[in-house]
Amino acid sequence: MDNLQNFHRTNYCGDLRLSDVGKTVSLCGWVQRQRDLGGLIFVDLRDRTGLVQLSFDDSTDKAIFEKAASLRAEFVVAATGLVRERESKTNKIATGDIEVYVTQLRLLAKSETPPFEIVEHSKANDMLRLKYRYLDLRRPEMQAAIATRHKITKICRDYFDEQGFLEIETPVLTKSTPEGARDYLVPSRVHPGKFYALPQSPQQYKQLLMLSGFDRYFQIARCFRDEDLRADRQPEFTQIDLEMSFVNEDDIMSIQEGFLKRVFKEVLDVDVQTPFQRMPWQEAMDRFGSDKPDLRFGFELTDISDIVKDCGFGVFSGPVAGGGSVRLINVNGHAADFPRKKIDKLVDFVKTYKAKGLAWTRMVDGQVTSSYAKFLTEEENKAILDRAGARDGDLILIVGDEKNDVVWAALGALRCEVARQLNILDPKDFRFLWVTQFPMFEWSEEEGRYQAMHHPFTAPMVEDEDKILTDKAHCRARAYDIVLNGTELGGGSIRINTPEMQEKAFQALGISEEDIQERFGHLVNAFKFGAPPHGGLAYGLDRLCMLMAGAPSIRDVIAFPKVQNASDLMMACPDFVDDKQLDDLSIAVTRREQDEPEA
Amino acid sequence: MDNLQNFHRTNYCGDLRLSDVGKTVSLCGWVQRQRDLGGLIFVDLRDRTGLVQLSFDDSTDKAIFEKAASLRAEFVVAATGLVRERESKTNKIATGDIEVYVTQLRLLAKSETPPFEIVEHSKANDMLRLKYRYLDLRRPEMQAAIATRHKITKICRDYFDEQGFLEIETPVLTKSTPEGARDYLVPSRVHPGKFYALPQSPQQYKQLLMLSGFDRYFQIARCFRDEDLRADRQPEFTQIDLEMSFVNEDDIMSIQEGFLKRVFKEVLDVDVQTPFQRMPWQEAMDRFGSDKPDLRFGFELTDISDIVKDCGFGVFSGPVAGGGSVRLINVNGHAADFPRKKIDKLVDFVKTYKAKGLAWTRMVDGQVTSSYAKFLTEEENKAILDRAGARDGDLILIVGDEKNDVVWAALGALRCEVARQLNILDPKDFRFLWVTQFPMFEWSEEEGRYQAMHHPFTAPMVEDEDKILTDKAHCRARAYDIVLNGTELGGGSIRINTPEMQEKAFQALGISEEDIQERFGHLVNAFKFGAPPHGGLAYGLDRLCMLMAGAPSIRDVIAFPKVQNASDLMMACPDFVDDKQLDDLSIAVTRREQDEPEA
């Protein structure tokens, strides 16, 4: 194999243009393909910038020509040659006007035939691509996604630095706080029987940093949650995490708007209008059935509980009597796009959100068909359609349930599903929204008690401070989420900064004094020494990158992701370890997964 | 307690100057101290920028005056007032020319009396400061150290971005590779009996990224080693980690020199001369007894083995006969600074480096005293002093041992110790050095075999490739360390990039085919698909920050460090966890540390 002694790359492959004609250049990269046409050889050479054609002909030095003839896909070479105009130009690649006539060629490494071809839009199956992730990452769209992620994080770091934020690293080996998702634990060799936990977020550390007077903190932090992985979750993920002292919501929001405006401009050349729209949580639920509404289209929710509460149709009156509601969306002007069969599928769709069914009225060319009209009086039917503003061409979809949450979830998802089917979602239309005034508490059926909707350090709204113990259901928090096109990009809150209010909040959550000390002792004790008013926010960086790179999954913006069962197919981990290692850590395995063939 | 409604900070405390006189400003911060002089109250207010004096007098609104009277150290306040020239100026603080006459005052949080005073050069003991780390971090020198760290990392990110490096995150939950230091393990809930490991470095991932064609990678990466902590080690530490493709040593070194030049200029306003001096490992050992020599002073080593090899003094001739050597340093002109008692302490000093003793000759005012002269002939004595270039006023210190390593270690440490005692080490004199051409292998007495000095992926020097199997003792590696004033800032190497050479390297290390697949399978297999020539480097960020911040310990540049037994005194972790958590993870504890009172 040749080496790189006395070789110096002068250019990247994808950068060469007509203006370089006549220059001698030295390039390095991988053979994308080699075409041997007898006395003529063409090699497409690839590096992270793109492709360029190398050419060899009968006036090429014989040894070099033979070396060129031996090249196969993914061989690694370094070549020196003359840039010349191409006879048959192509606009398929950016360097299509030129080629490099090679005068020196080094073969740096050979390659076996890869398990799949390194091309754009690979059709290789996901598991194979993840096992050979290092090859999959050679594909242009993966290179682009990772480069975009780099750009986003760089802008993020620049922006927050300019705004006076200090990047401060917080520990990864920290303390387990049994709240929320499961912690990953790390046994300690030095302290037998004791464990560190990997952080679910740097929440407590960043609050302590405010107490320490750092004023503005930020970090791009790795976080860990041992959850059952849903579609787009990773056991380790990355958060843009920040916190500010002596601020209110407006200060925080305007800083964030500046960040998003800048990152969207510099990465996508999109002009984002600021300030963003703000909407109280209650309004978001009532109008969109979601705390992360997609504002690119209408089909808003309308409450018809008052109309149907006394009707003779139990499917409608029952939910209202049971304390819930009946609501509808009007898919204006699109009834014709939803024939009966498609509506049946929508019925199935809402059932996945625990709705018992979906009632509908379809109005096409003056023909009105309805799944429920016959059970109601003429007045009731008319009142519903009037309330919906229904006209010919509209499709009315109705869900009722004894739980408002079910109605919201079903209709909130349904309006997005309908929009998706209608293909009216413009991926280049970016509608940002702050959702504010979240409930402070939410009732947990499972636990039979109120839980913190955000986390137990979130401050109540000043006007609701009195309700924290007396009217939990209506106590609102100084919490906010930043939403883009139906996706939550991030969220945060103003925090409690006095021991008195913190004690009330714990009391409201029914956490005992002992539990408080056990779980949050360091923070609660710290707050006795003068905590400034403070608040912050965290973005899911993986998701932000996915949206901005236009990638279908967060896996595509993570260099080495894990699959749904939390394993890394490339590294083949987690894996069994030596008994000696376990013994050093004073632990033993009590159950052992059967060895199974890799997927 | 007051809140911040309708309050907006206009300035930081430490920024106010005479030019601000006449302005109305709004400030926030902590009370450093409050002095109540009857009708006059002064409050020093502190934020991250420094201190400013707030003043209140008999024309102050009565309610405000009373509130000011109630203030105690570390209370949190927001104040609005008029900047005015101070009657009695002070240059003890940057804002000493002015004060703020307060017209509005909000008390935002009270504070208990802190366990130690928040002042510069605190005398509180380390354990107390670490337990109340959030208070210790309020001290100005801690604030400055963390700010310096931010600045260093920001410059690092800017520089490598400009040089075309992509920041790419690599996993924290990865695979255990039983080599080198102990791994921290993380049990898997989904895969009972299997474990992730926390990475000791992203070494294999960054090499895979080169194989993927990213060309230039960098990351500020958290790394983990479950070692017994020596003085300045942390179980988790941070590395500036980078890797480049299609490069040789010169390319990598020149990029790094650019980085260090920039960071020293921007952070310390020090002009670093580039290119840095380079020195082969063998020369560093022979001249300085160290692979990280401090070049700020002389006292270089001189080999006198040939002179003493046949002398009648066994302490000298024995080591040479045993395959070792006898070497000296000449502490030129400083004999008078080392009276007999001090020399006795130096004898004890070298014994901590396993030297059996220290022979010496002291020449002061024409008087020559010596610990060994009487055992040698006149010619031998003269030859030694001639070789040492000894003159009146010099102190000659000699160590011999059958192991060269012992001689180097003892004299290498001794020359630094002597320089330290002489107080000739200028902390503002920055002498950078590349140490190159490290041995590829080092003999492990413990294991009875050769081990990789750097790691098994390091390439041999081209001219030594043939020696890799046949002459391991003299095979040199393409490895390099960057050294500053006796401290290793970082190190790296050009890596092996072909399966053939990698196989040879494993063979030289005596690693079986099975072990290779088990430990390094993913990397070895990946390299079959065309790896570019590549190399890289990693810096210890904590140490770099410590040196640049002039901090005595890496603890001082880490916001939340751990102590020597790897525990976090503030968080009180590691800690016991619920049995339920362990059961979920299919592990059990086999030994349990006795609960003990916190240090």
Side-chain angles (χ1 to χ4, degrees):
Chain A
M1 220 56 56
D2 300 323
N3 64 41
L4 276 182
Q5 301 275 82
N6 302 315
F7 177 91
H8 289 283
R9 171 161 59 185
T10 60
N11 293 75
Y12 282 99
C13 298
D15 295 341
L16 295 175
R17 294 290 181 276
L18 265 185
S19 56
D20 296 303
V21 166
K23 288 182 192 159
T24 296
V25 297
S26 291
L27 309 170
C28 313
W30 285 260
V31 173
Q32 179 72 29
R33 63 170 183 160
Q34 185 257 35
R35 284 170 297 152
D36 193 336
L37 314 175
L40 216 55
I41 296 174
F42 296 114
V43 170
D44 286 346
L45 188 66
R46 185 189 72 235
D47 66 19
R48 81 177 194 196
T49 63
L51 294 170
V52 70
Q53 176 168 293
L54 307 181
S55 73
F56 308 78
D57 62 21
D58 45 19
S59 47
T60 302
D61 174 272
K62 191 155 176 289
I64 292 176
F65 194 88
E66 274 169 15
K67 202 179 273 185
S70 77
L71 297 180
R72 297 291 172 267
E74 304 308 320
F75 280 27
V76 183
V77 301
T80 300
L82 187 72
V83 182
R84 66 186 189 191
E85 197 166 351
R86 218 155 128 167
E87 280 181 30
S88 53
K89 294 181 182 171
T90 170
N91 55 15
K92 283 187 192 160
I93 57 176
T95 61
D97 289 340
I98 57 96
E99 65 181 4
V100 176
Y101 181 72
V102 175
T103 53
Q104 281 183 41
L105 182 66
R106 302 182 196 216
L107 175 55
L108 302 170
K110 293 186 178 185
S111 172
E112 295 184 359
T113 305
F116 51 86
E117 214 187 338
I118 312 299
V119 290
E120 218 149 348
H121 312 302
S122 167
K123 291 200 178 64
N125 90 51
D126 273 6
M127 295 301 111
L128 193 66
R129 287 170 46 200
L130 286 164
K131 184 173 176 189
Y132 293 94
R133 184 66 169 180
Y134 44 85
L135 296 181
D136 197 38
L137 286 171
R138 286 185 186 170
R139 296 190 305 112
E141 65 259 52
M142 298 304 287
Q143 294 269 323
I146 298 293
T148 297
R149 183 177 180 123
H150 164 75
K151 198 166 176 186
I152 293 168
T153 58
K154 184 62 175 58
I155 293 165
C156 173
R157 296 184 192 286
D158 288 345
Y159 177 82
F160 288 109
D161 173 68
E162 286 161 25
Q163 298 291 331
F165 288 76
L166 296 180
E167 180 184 349
I168 303 177
E169 296 182 64
T170 55
V172 168
L173 294 172
T174 178
K175 190 185 171 83
S176 184
T177 54
E179 177 91 346
R182 266 178 293 246
D183 287 324
Y184 279 104
L185 296 183
V186 182
S188 158
R189 183 174 52 82
V190 185
H191 306 280
K194 289 186 172 177
F195 293 80
Y196 303 96
L198 304 183
Q200 296 185 26
S201 87
Q203 182 64 34
Q204 298 188 33
Y205 287 108
K206 70 177 175 176
Q207 293 195 239
L208 288 170
L209 288 170
M210 294 303 99
L211 189 112
S212 296
F214 284 103
D215 206 77
R216 295 186 166 198
Y217 143 91
F218 110 101
Q219 186 184 198
I220 297 188
R222 200 70 59 84
C223 304
F224 305 85
R225 282 185 202 166
D226 189 7
E227 291 177 307
D228 298 308
L229 297 183
R230 278 179 281 153
D232 239 12
R233 288 276 180 98
Q234 288 281 320
E236 52 179 310
F237 57 97
T238 304
Q239 203 164 280
I240 302 173
D241 192 49
L242 46 96
E243 196 79 5
M244 304 168 72
S245 290
F246 301 111
V247 290
N248 58 31
E249 290 86 336
D250 289 340
D251 300 313
I252 293 176
M253 290 180 184
S254 96
I255 292 256
Q256 304 316 316
E257 288 167 359
F259 164 59
L260 290 165
K261 191 179 178 72
R262 172 130 153 217
V263 77
F264 272 76
K265 181 66 189 174
E266 292 190 19
V267 175
L268 298 178
D269 197 25
V270 165
D271 288 302
V272 170
Q273 294 308 311
T274 55
F276 299 162
Q277 186 179 343
R278 296 186 197 181
M279 190 181 288
W281 179 88
Q282 190 63 55
E283 181 184 342
M285 299 310 289
D286 284 339
R287 289 177 55 194
F288 302 97
S290 169
D291 58 4
K292 38 180 189 282
D294 190 333
L295 300 184
R296 287 176 295 175
F297 59 96
F299 312 156
E300 293 189 18
L301 277 64
T302 301
D303 193 339
I304 54 167
S305 303
D306 58 320
I307 300 174
V308 299
K309 68 181 196 302
D310 300 317
C311 76
F313 184 40
V315 168
F316 286 175
S317 59
V320 183
S325 59
V326 180
R327 296 167 201 249
L328 61 78
I329 61 173
N330 180 352
V331 188
N332 324 59
H334 288 291
D337 298 311
F338 288 93
R340 180 63 195 261
K341 269 192 181 167
K342 275 198 164 182
I343 295 179
D344 287 346
K345 289 213 171 136
L346 296 180
V347 176
D348 294 339
F349 178 83
V350 297
K351 285 181 179 168
T352 64
Y353 291 86
K354 295 189 186 161
K356 293 185 194 75
L358 178 69
W360 52 270
T361 294
R362 186 169 178 270
M363 307 160 79
V364 180
D365 300 332
Q367 290 278 71
V368 177
T369 46
S370 172
S371 70
Y372 62 84
K374 57 181 176 250
F375 304 113
L376 302 186
T377 66
E378 199 170 324
E379 291 72 33
E380 286 162 347
N381 273 315
K382 182 169 182 309
I384 290 172
L385 295 184
D386 282 352
R387 177 75 59 85
R391 300 199 298 187
D392 192 42
D394 287 1
L395 173 67
I396 310 297
L397 301 171
I398 307 176
V399 171
D401 199 277
E402 289 173 15
K403 288 179 185 154
N404 280 324
D405 284 352
V406 169
V407 179
W408 282 326
L411 284 179
L414 185 63
R415 69 179 278 278
C416 294
E417 174 60 18
V418 162
R420 198 189 58 75
Q421 291 190 19
L422 290 172
N423 204 17
I424 57 174
L425 296 172
D426 178 0
K428 302 224 161 125
D429 181 12
F430 297 99
R431 301 285 185 97
F432 288 92
L433 171 71
W434 287 108
V435 176
T436 62
Q437 303 181 18
F438 277 77
M440 182 91 173
F441 306 104
E442 62 186 345
W443 181 256
S444 164
E445 291 287 345
E446 207 176 312
E447 310 253 331
R449 63 176 179 94
Y450 276 100
Q451 288 186 323
M453 194 165 200
H454 200 64
H455 56 60
F457 313 112
T458 301
M461 285 178 64
V462 175
E463 48 272 58
D464 288 359
E465 279 181 2
D466 292 340
K467 298 182 186 160
I468 194 164
L469 290 173
T470 56
D471 187 9
K472 292 177 202 172
H474 295 104
C475 182
R476 292 163 301 167
R478 299 178 70 179
Y480 35 79
D481 275 359
I482 174 78
V483 172
L484 169 61
N485 293 355
T487 299
E488 179 200 325
L489 289 183
S493 65
I494 302 292
R495 328 296 182 183
I496 294 169
N497 79 308
T498 65
E500 297 76 23
M501 182 57 75
Q502 190 62 63
E503 201 168 304
K504 271 195 200 170
F506 283 135
Q507 200 183 332
L509 292 167
I511 305 180
S512 72
E513 194 60 42
E514 195 188 329
D515 264 18
I516 294 171
Q517 276 306 322
E518 170 71 20
R519 293 194 216 167
F520 309 112
H522 40 278
L523 197 58
V524 171
N525 294 333
F527 273 34
K528 295 175 185 162
F529 298 101
H534 62 292
L537 193 96
Y539 295 91
L541 176 62
D542 305 306
R543 211 181 288 173
L544 181 64
C545 291
M546 177 188 80
L547 284 176
M548 295 192 68
S553 156
I554 58 169
R555 273 189 204 166
D556 296 317
V557 293
I558 298 173
F560 301 105
K562 293 187 174 57
V563 295
Q564 200 139 355
N565 70 6
S567 66
D568 177 330
L569 299 184
M570 182 187 76
M571 283 298 203
C573 76
D575 199 0
F576 298 116
V577 298
D578 294 347
D579 286 344
K580 165 96 180 54
Q581 283 178 280
L582 299 183
D583 192 54
D584 274 356
L585 297 172
S586 305
I587 59 170
V589 163
T590 57
R591 270 184 302 275
R592 217 177 136 96
E593 181 174 60
Q594 294 301 308
D595 280 276
E596 50 191 67
E598 281 300 324
Chain B
M1 218 59 53
D2 301 322
N3 64 40
L4 277 182
Q5 301 274 82
N6 302 318
F7 176 91
H8 289 284
R9 172 162 60 183
T10 61
N11 293 75
Y12 282 99
C13 300
D15 295 341
L16 295 174
R17 293 290 180 277
L18 265 184
S19 56
D20 296 304
V21 166
K23 289 183 192 159
T24 296
V25 297
S26 290
L27 308 170
C28 312
W30 285 260
V31 172
Q32 179 72 31
R33 61 170 185 162
Q34 185 257 36
R35 283 169 299 151
D36 192 335
L37 314 176
L40 214 56
I41 296 175
F42 296 112
V43 170
D44 286 344
L45 188 67
R46 186 190 69 235
D47 66 18
R48 83 178 193 195
T49 63
L51 294 170
V52 71
Q53 177 167 293
L54 307 181
S55 74
F56 308 79
D57 62 22
D58 44 18
S59 46
T60 301
D61 173 273
K62 189 153 179 287
I64 293 176
F65 194 89
E66 274 169 17
K67 202 180 271 185
S70 77
L71 296 180
R72 297 291 172 266
E74 304 308 320
F75 280 26
V76 184
V77 302
T80 300
L82 187 71
V83 182
R84 65 185 188 191
E85 197 166 349
R86 218 155 129 167
E87 282 182 28
S88 53
K89 295 182 182 170
T90 170
N91 56 16
K92 281 186 192 161
I93 56 176
T95 61
D97 289 343
I98 58 96
E99 64 181 4
V100 176
Y101 181 72
V102 174
T103 52
Q104 281 183 41
L105 182 66
R106 305 184 194 212
L107 175 55
L108 302 171
K110 294 186 176 184
S111 172
E112 294 185 359
T113 304
F116 51 87
E117 213 187 338
I118 312 298
V119 291
E120 218 148 351
H121 311 300
S122 165
K123 291 199 178 64
N125 89 52
D126 273 7
M127 295 301 110
L128 192 66
R129 287 170 46 201
L130 285 164
K131 184 173 176 188
Y132 294 94
R133 183 66 168 181
Y134 44 85
L135 297 180
D136 197 39
L137 286 171
R138 286 184 185 170
R139 297 189 306 111
E141 65 260 49
M142 298 304 288
Q143 294 269 324
I146 298 293
T148 297
R149 184 178 179 122
H150 165 74
K151 198 165 176 189
I152 292 168
T153 58
K154 184 63 174 62
I155 293 165
C156 174
R157 297 186 192 285
D158 288 346
Y159 177 82
F160 287 109
D161 174 67
E162 287 162 23
Q163 297 291 330
F165 288 75
L166 297 180
E167 180 183 349
I168 303 177
E169 295 182 64
T170 56
V172 168
L173 293 172
T174 177
K175 189 185 171 81
S176 183
T177 53
E179 176 92 342
R182 267 178 292 245
D183 288 324
Y184 279 104
L185 296 183
V186 182
S188 159
R189 183 175 52 82
V190 186
H191 305 279
K194 290 185 174 179
F195 293 80
Y196 303 96
L198 304 182
Q200 297 186 24
S201 87
Q203 182 64 33
Q204 298 187 33
Y205 286 110
K206 70 176 175 175
Q207 292 197 239
L208 289 170
L209 288 170
M210 293 303 100
L211 190 111
S212 295
F214 284 105
D215 207 78
R216 293 186 167 199
Y217 143 91
F218 108 101
Q219 185 182 197
I220 297 187
R222 200 70 58 84
C223 304
F224 306 84
R225 283 186 201 165
D226 188 8
E227 291 178 307
D228 298 309
L229 297 183
R230 277 180 281 153
D232 239 12
R233 289 276 179 98
Q234 290 280 320
E236 52 179 310
F237 57 98
T238 304
Q239 203 165 281
I240 303 174
D241 192 49
L242 47 96
E243 195 80 5
M244 305 168 71
S245 291
F246 301 110
V247 290
N248 58 32
E249 290 88 336
D250 289 340
D251 301 312
I252 292 176
M253 290 179 184
S254 94
I255 292 254
Q256 303 316 316
E257 288 166 358
F259 164 59
L260 290 164
K261 191 180 178 72
R262 172 131 152 215
V263 77
F264 273 76
K265 180 67 189 173
E266 292 189 20
V267 175
L268 297 178
D269 197 25
V270 164
D271 288 302
V272 169
Q273 293 308 310
T274 55
F276 299 162
Q277 185 179 344
R278 295 188 197 179
M279 190 181 289
W281 179 88
Q282 189 65 54
E283 181 184 341
M285 299 309 289
D286 284 340
R287 289 176 56 192
F288 302 97
S290 168
D291 58 4
K292 38 179 190 282
D294 190 332
L295 301 185
R296 288 176 295 176
F297 60 96
F299 311 158
E300 294 190 18
L301 277 63
T302 302
D303 194 338
I304 55 167
S305 303
D306 58 319
I307 300 173
V308 299
K309 70 180 194 306
D310 300 318
C311 76
F313 184 41
V315 167
F316 285 175
S317 59
V320 183
S325 59
V326 180
R327 297 168 200 249
L328 61 78
I329 62 173
N330 180 353
V331 188
N332 324 58
H334 289 289
D337 298 311
F338 288 92
R340 181 62 195 261
K341 269 194 182 166
K342 275 200 162 180
I343 294 178
D344 288 346
K345 288 211 171 137
L346 296 181
V347 177
D348 294 339
F349 178 83
V350 297
K351 285 180 179 167
T352 64
Y353 292 86
K354 296 189 186 162
K356 294 185 194 76
L358 179 69
W360 52 268
T361 294
R362 186 169 178 270
M363 307 159 80
V364 179
D365 299 334
Q367 290 281 70
V368 178
T369 46
S370 171
S371 69
Y372 63 84
K374 57 180 176 250
F375 303 113
L376 302 185
T377 66
E378 200 171 321
E379 289 74 35
E380 286 163 346
N381 274 314
K382 181 169 184 306
I384 290 173
L385 295 183
D386 283 354
R387 177 74 59 84
R391 300 200 298 185
D392 193 43
D394 287 2
L395 173 67
I396 309 297
L397 300 170
I398 307 176
V399 171
D401 200 278
E402 289 173 14
K403 288 180 185 156
N404 281 323
D405 285 352
V406 170
V407 179
W408 282 327
L411 283 178
L414 184 64
R415 68 179 280 276
C416 294
E417 173 61 17
V418 162
R420 198 189 60 73
Q421 291 191 18
L422 290 170
N423 203 19
I424 56 174
L425 296 173
D426 177 359
K428 303 227 162 122
D429 180 12
F430 296 98
R431 301 284 184 99
F432 289 92
L433 172 72
W434 288 108
V435 176
T436 61
Q437 302 183 18
F438 278 77
M440 183 92 176
F441 306 103
E442 62 186 345
W443 180 257
S444 163
E445 291 288 344
E446 205 175 312
E447 308 254 330
R449 64 175 178 94
Y450 276 100
Q451 289 186 321
M453 194 165 198
H454 201 64
H455 57 59
F457 312 113
T458 302
M461 286 179 64
V462 176
E463 48 271 57
D464 288 0
E465 279 181 2
D466 291 341
K467 297 181 186 161
I468 194 165
L469 290 173
T470 56
D471 186 10
K472 291 177 202 171
H474 295 102
C475 182
R476 291 163 301 167
R478 299 178 70 179
Y480 35 79
D481 276 359
I482 174 79
V483 172
L484 170 61
N485 293 354
T487 299
E488 179 199 325
L489 290 183
S493 65
I494 301 292
R495 327 298 183 184
I496 294 170
N497 79 307
T498 65
E500 296 75 25
M501 182 58 74
Q502 190 62 63
E503 201 169 302
K504 271 193 200 174
F506 283 136
Q507 199 184 331
L509 292 166
I511 304 180
S512 72
E513 194 60 41
E514 194 188 330
D515 263 20
I516 295 171
Q517 278 304 323
E518 171 71 20
R519 294 195 215 165
F520 309 113
H522 39 280
L523 196 58
V524 171
N525 294 333
F527 274 32
K528 294 176 186 161
F529 297 102
H534 62 292
L537 194 96
Y539 295 91
L541 176 63
D542 306 305
R543 211 182 289 173
L544 180 65
C545 291
M546 176 188 84
L547 285 175
M548 295 191 68
S553 155
I554 58 170
R555 273 189 202 166
D556 295 317
V557 294
I558 297 173
F560 300 105
K562 292 187 174 58
V563 296
Q564 199 139 356
N565 70 7
S567 65
D568 178 329
L569 299 184
M570 182 188 77
M571 283 296 200
C573 77
D575 200 359
F576 298 115
V577 298
D578 293 347
D579 287 344
K580 166 100 178 53
Q581 283 178 279
L582 299 183
D583 191 54
D584 274 355
L585 298 172
S586 305
I587 59 169
V589 163
T590 57
R591 270 183 303 274
R592 219 176 132 96
E593 180 174 62
Q594 294 301 310
D595 280 276
E596 50 192 67
E598 281 298 325

